[in-house]
């Protein structure tokens, strides 16, 4: 009986455990978790007046940046490099699911197009080709006042 109760408690604790990572809208206190899950190294940190940028270099050579408000909220991410990063890790489950729904292809039509999402609270732009991908996602309502969206488009030009 004790083993059944102990097992049930362990399962309940596992079900309630949610991994912490710095995703869109989340807190930046756990950027190290992103670094570990993306198997990246922190390349640099740039502090601006109204936000900071944590830049990670992935094993693939892709650079991923997380843009963070002074209160620690991640309001944007961007990437550029030979491979797309794990977007589910960068976006978080809810934004990644919205991104997937917005880009669900019609199985009867073969398309080659840039993937995107555009909502009042969530914007994504991607592009590139094999060996040279870029993209960014941000939360317009969460971005600091006067944030230049061009800061996200380093690889998009």
């Amino acid at each position: 009986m004790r083993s059944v109760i102990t097992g049930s408690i362990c399962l309940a604790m596992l079900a309630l455990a949610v991994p912490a990572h710095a995703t869109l809208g989340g807190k930046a206190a756990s950027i190290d978790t992103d670094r570990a899950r993306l198997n990246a190294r922190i390349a640099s940190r740039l502090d601006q007046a109204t936000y900071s940028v944590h830049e990670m270099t992935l094993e693939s050579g892709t650079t991923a940046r997380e843009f963070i408000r002074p209160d620690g909220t991640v309001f944007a991410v961007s990437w550029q490099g030979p491979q797309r990063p794990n977007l589910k890790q960068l976006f978080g489950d809810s934004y990644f699911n919205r991104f997937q729904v917005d880009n669900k292809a019609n199985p009867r039509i073969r398309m080659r197009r840039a993937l995107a999402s555009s909502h009042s609270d969530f914007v994504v732009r991607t592009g590139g080709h094999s060996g040279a991908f870029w993209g960014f996602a941000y939360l317009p309502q969460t971005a600091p006042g006067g944030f230049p969206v061009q800061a996200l488009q380093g690889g998009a030009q």
Side-chain angles (χ1 to χ4, degrees), residues 56-127:
M56 296 176 284
T57 303
L58 286 61
E59 282 186 330
S60 66
T62 297
T63 301
R65 295 174 192 87
E66 294 178 317
F67 294 75
I68 302 144
R69 294 187 331 195
D71 70 357
T73 302
V74 178
F75 68 91
V77 295
S78 69
W79 61 93
Q80 175 183 357
Q83 293 181 353
R84 288 183 189 100
N86 179 338
L87 297 181
K88 186 172 186 176
Q89 178 69 38
L90 291 177
F91 293 0
D93 288 338
S94 64
Y95 290 117
F96 182 74
N97 291 340
R98 287 174 68 187
F99 176 68
Q100 282 190 307
V101 167
D102 289 349
N103 290 284
K104 187 175 181 177
N106 182 339
R108 294 182 189 174
I109 302 172
R110 183 177 170 165
M111 291 188 282
R112 287 190 165 203
R113 62 178 173 87
L115 302 177
S117 287
S118 194
H119 301 273
S120 63
D121 65 335
F122 175 57
V123 176
V124 180
R125 298 287 180 267
T126 68

Side-chain angles (χ1 to χ4, degrees), residues 22-25 28 31 34-35 38 40-48 51-58 61-69 73-87 89-91 123 125 133-139 147-157:
T23 59
L24 280 173
I31 285 189
D34 270 354
R35 184 198 53 72
L38 293 170
R41 62 181 168 80
I42 298 289
S44 65
R45 177 184 166 147
L46 171 65
D47 292 313
Q48 299 290 336
Y51 64 94
S52 62
V53 181
H54 290 262
E55 184 174 288
M56 296 176 284
T57 303
L58 286 61
T62 297
T63 301
R65 295 174 192 87
E66 294 178 317
F67 294 75
I68 302 144
R69 294 187 331 195
T73 302
V74 178
F75 68 91
V77 295
S78 69
W79 61 93
Q80 175 183 357
Q83 293 181 353
R84 288 183 189 100
N86 179 338
L87 297 181
Q89 178 69 38
L90 291 177
F91 293 0
V123 176
R125 298 287 180 267
F133 294 100
W134 62 266
F136 62 87
Y138 72 105
L139 308 175
F147 175 74
V149 175
Q150 297 82 359
L152 298 172
Q153 299 172 340
Q157 306 294 328

